[in-house]
Amino acid sequence: MFAPLTWFLVASSLAAMVYAVVLAARNKRIDWPVLGAIGVVEVGLLAQLVVGIVQFSGTDRDVSGPFFIGYLIGSLIILPIGAFWALAESSRWGAGVLAIACLVIPILELRLHDVWTA
């Protein structure tokens, strides 16, 4: 895997999580800046999906294919689900849901890194 992209995704997702937590603490709904940050993370996740599939197809490592591809696809769909849920929720908990979705991304990224390097 391309480690700088992984660490960028971890850092940017955590930054978006902090912003969503601040919105939730201030009893605010999600706004365009947090959606823009989520969009940046999502584009990075899409790039990681492409890079991951290309690297997986050309490697001779003992990597579990279903787990690896599953983590790539799973990390790609978490943020849109969280964002749609947050947009549908009109209370502070919409931002809370988005914060949890943003927290899931670093966990999946670190697990993906472990699967790749194992």
Side-chain angles (χ1 to χ4, degrees):
M1 286 299 301
F2 188 60
L5 180 58
T6 299
W7 297 117
F8 168 76
L9 290 170
V10 168
S12 60
S13 181
L14 288 175
M17 182 201 71
V18 168
Y19 187 64
V21 166
V22 168
L23 288 176
R26 295 179 61 204
N27 201 18
K28 303 277 185 178
R29 293 190 64 180
I30 62 171
D31 53 10
W32 287 110
V34 73
L35 288 176
I38 295 302
V40 168
V41 174
E42 194 66 24
V43 168
L45 289 169
L46 186 60
Q48 186 182 42
L49 175 72
V50 171
V51 169
I53 290 173
V54 168
Q55 286 185 343
F56 178 72
S57 65
T59 189
D60 57 351
R61 291 180 174 201
D62 187 25
V63 177
S64 174
F67 282 120
F68 186 71
I69 302 299
Y71 278 113
L72 286 171
I73 293 171
S75 64
L76 190 64
I77 63 173
I78 291 294
L79 288 179
I81 291 171
F84 285 128
W85 190 345
L87 287 170
E89 179 63 45
S90 62
S91 69
R92 75 165 48 175
W93 299 113
V97 166
L98 191 58
I100 291 170
C102 289
L103 179 62
V104 169
I105 296 300
I107 294 167
L108 290 175
E109 289 298 311
L110 294 175
R111 182 65 184 127
L112 185 65
H113 182 72
D114 286 345
V115 168
W116 182 256
T117 58

